[in-house]
Amino acid sequence: MSSSLIVHEMVEEAHDRPARKKKLGVLFWICVGWLVLNFIGAIFANVLPLEDPLFQNYAVVNAGPSLHHLFGTDDLGRDIFARIVFGSRVSIEASLGSMLIGFGIGAPLGMLSAYRRGKFDSVVTAVMYVLLAFPAIIATIAVLSFWTPRSLLKIIIVVGVASIPLVYRVIRGATLNYSTRDFVVAAKVQGATDRRILMKELLPNVAPVGVSFLLIGIATVVTLEGALAFLGLSVNPPTPSWGNMINESISILQTNPWLAVFPSLAMCLFLLCLNFIGDRLRSHFEVSEGKI
Amino acid sequence: MVRYLVRRLILLIGVVFIVSIGSFYLLHLLPGDPTAVILGTGDTPANKAKLFAQLGLNKPIWEQYFVWIRNVLRGNLGTSFISQTSVWSVVKAALPIDVEIIVLSQILAFLVAIPLAIRSARRPDGPLDRILGAGSFTLLSIPSFVLIVLLVLFVSIKLGVGHTGPSSYVSLSADWIGNLESLSLPAITLGIGSFVVYYRVLRSDLIATLQEEFITLARSKGISARRIMWRHALRPSAVALCGTAGVNIGGLLASGFIVQYLLSIPGLGYELIESVGLSDYLVVQGIVLVVCVGVILINFGFDLLTNIVDPRIRRE
């Protein structure tokens, strides 16, 4: 459901909401803690005392949750808990990788165009507008279905490139808010270099917008990985990923509903935390992206 | 208005042109000898010659594009060498199902979102607004493929409602009540996804509009709160809603694809995934082209609608 479109949508929404400073609150830190836990799990999955996510134990097929298998086992006797922890790697790698591409290209371009204005700005913005008119999700599906053999790296590249215009739009809008403010003009008058103004004056102000957009972007890519898994376009089984696990659970929904419940829960909690943190940060920093 | 229309039309044609180049180029992303991959099991010399003629493969690449686009404009998207059917007939059979699901889901979404947004905007931060705010936020974090799995688990497996489970699609011409039943879960799933977005957009816009001066004026004239809401506040607040609905359509189609696949409903998504699985690339290409152009046209339509709703936009 959620996609680049909802991201786009939430950006617009943030603009219209009357800004008010909110405290971050306990829930915010709980969410941060949960995300950190997820990241630690993904990084140290090899070291943690987990079962091999690919080990098939036919003695305990489709078992419910127990002490031996916290979340039970799947139809091939693989430990669901271990598969969820290892599966988070795919989601996290895909989202961080593609956001690295999206922000790596989109953010500098956006800041530069908003700061320079003029011809450079109008050309780049026009190109990005055409790219935005593309149905990004459909294009992603199309390219991934033709670009065989599929791998995580290709997913990262395609999704990353598709996210560039969105990042550009948000960052440009945010920079535009500041680039004519007095403190920027003052820095210019004092003879600061463009580089210094961009890095020292504008970047710290644009960063909060960037971070909250990054979080929503990560949430979007995690959802997208799930969608791609359903279309058979994500990493190949038996490699566990949240999307693959939910997809595999469908055929045996009646005999073993746990198989669907736990990865879905893992994914939804992860998304909820990301969305919540992004939302709180946005209202905390009184961010208004501004329409373009 | 005319100038605006012309500018939008030029952009529209440009984007459609680029989409057509993109769809054309997809076949060249295939590794190795594309003809062998496309022909798959039908790799005979006779078929190979036919495919060469169809795609103009012995010509330079830009000429190939013109051969291909000329065929497409005549309504010939090629013939699948795996199922021996024309791609256009596949698309024509599947497309109405997607349209039906999306129309149903949008009716549901708007019917629920507009009254609830109005209720919430009347008392921002009231009990109802808070509950809906938290609820919609939670729903925002539930992907459609999780939602449909849960719905199937409860509605068709636990409650045993007919025609809602996997592989129980009934066509519209056979039995329209059965058809509605079999499309109800997809429509509800997509409808919830859209509802969340529409509700949040309309609510925040309504709150902003209600603080404007013309609303205060209307209030001071003694116009009823109900009339102010429906006649004065709703229209200027609906601009972002129209824009969002237009942008939403691409994601909606993609979610629809997955839902169709899970329930074996023979729409475009189902055909697309089947064809990817069979490596029937000409069908994939045809569906991608039709869907992309469709999304762009719908976006264009919503753009015009936004204009009609709020003529001020044209001046920007």
Side-chain angles (χ1 to χ4, degrees), chain A residues 34-46:
Chain A
W34 178 251
L35 285 192
V36 170
L37 205 67
N38 267 283
F39 274 86
I40 291 176
I43 295 169
F44 296 109
N46 284 339

Side-chain angles (χ1 to χ4, degrees), chain A residues 1 5 9 16 148 231 250 275, chain B residues 31 140-141 201 205 247 251 273:
Chain A
M1 168 210 78
L5 312 161
E9 158 34 35
D16 295 320
T148 51
L231 306 176
I250 304 303
N275 283 335
Chain B
L140 198 64
S141 307
V201 177
D205 275 12
V247 186
I273 298 164

Side-chain angles (χ1 to χ4, degrees), chain A residues 24-37 273 276-277:
Chain A
L24 290 176
V26 185
L27 211 51
F28 175 84
W29 293 109
I30 293 176
C31 286
V32 173
W34 178 251
L35 285 192
V36 170
L37 205 67
C273 287
F276 187 77
I277 294 173

Side-chain angles (χ1 to χ4, degrees), chain B residues 39-67:
Chain B
L39 290 171
T41 49
D43 191 1
T44 58
N47 273 344
K48 201 160 189 163
K50 234 163 98 185
L51 183 66
F52 256 76
Q54 189 180 320
L55 299 176
L57 282 178
N58 46 3
K59 294 179 183 138
I61 191 156
W62 58 270
E63 250 179 78
Q64 287 178 32
Y65 171 76
F66 287 110
V67 170

Side-chain angles (χ1 to χ4, degrees), chain B residues 89-107:
Chain B
S89 69
V90 174
V91 171
K92 214 163 64 181
L95 187 62
I97 299 173
D98 285 75
V99 174
E100 192 185 343
I101 292 177
I102 288 188
V103 169
L104 284 176
S105 73
Q106 295 308 290
I107 292 175

Side-chain angles (χ1 to χ4, degrees), chain A residues 1-6 8-10 12-14 16-18 20 126 129-135 137-139 141-150 222-228 230-233 242-243 246-247 249-250 253-254 257 260-261 263-265 267-269 271-277 279-280 282 291-292, chain B residues 8 11 14-15 18-19 22 26-31 125 137-146 149-150 152-153 157-158 166 192-194 196-197 200-201 203-205 207-208 211 240 243-244 247-255 257-258 261-262 269 272-273 276 281-282 284-285 287-288 291-293 295-296 299 316:
Chain A
M1 168 210 78
S2 99
S3 61
S4 52
L5 312 161
I6 287 187
H8 160 95
E9 158 34 35
M10 291 183 71
E12 298 258 326
E13 184 198 348
D16 295 320
R17 187 190 297 158
R20 75 198 133 156
Y129 247 79
V130 173
L131 288 180
L132 271 179
F134 249 74
I137 300 178
I138 312 287
I141 293 172
V143 173
L144 282 175
S145 42
F146 279 88
W147 201 11
T148 51
R150 287 153 203 133
V222 171
T223 316
L224 190 62
E225 188 276 326
L228 289 174
F230 274 88
L231 306 176
L233 299 175
W242 290 346
I246 301 172
N247 188 16
S249 74
I250 304 303
L253 204 54
Q254 250 159 322
V261 170
S264 307
L265 211 60
M267 188 186 258
C268 290
L269 270 180
L271 293 174
L272 191 62
C273 287
L274 281 169
N275 283 335
F276 187 77
I277 294 173
D279 192 62
R280 270 294 147 91
R282 228 176 20 228
K291 284 183 179 159
I292 306 164
Chain B
R8 294 290 318 178
L11 185 67
V15 172
I18 295 171
V19 164
L26 281 177
L27 283 181
H28 293 265
L29 280 176
L30 291 172
D125 281 329
F137 200 83
T138 313
L139 282 176
L140 198 64
S141 307
I142 303 181
S144 58
F145 47 85
V146 172
V149 171
L150 293 177
V152 168
L153 200 59
I157 294 180
K158 284 262 151 65
I192 289 178
S194 310
V196 174
V197 179
R200 290 177 76 91
V201 177
R203 174 195 164 272
S204 63
D205 275 12
I207 290 175
Q211 281 155 5
T244 312
V247 186
N248 204 13
I249 212 83
L252 216 54
L253 268 163
S255 308
F257 284 4
I258 294 159
Y261 178 65
L262 286 177
L272 179 83
I273 298 164
V276 169
Y281 290 107
L282 287 178
V284 179
Q285 186 189 35
I287 293 178
V288 165
V291 169
C292 280
V293 173
V295 169
I296 292 168
N299 266 328
E316 282 176 22

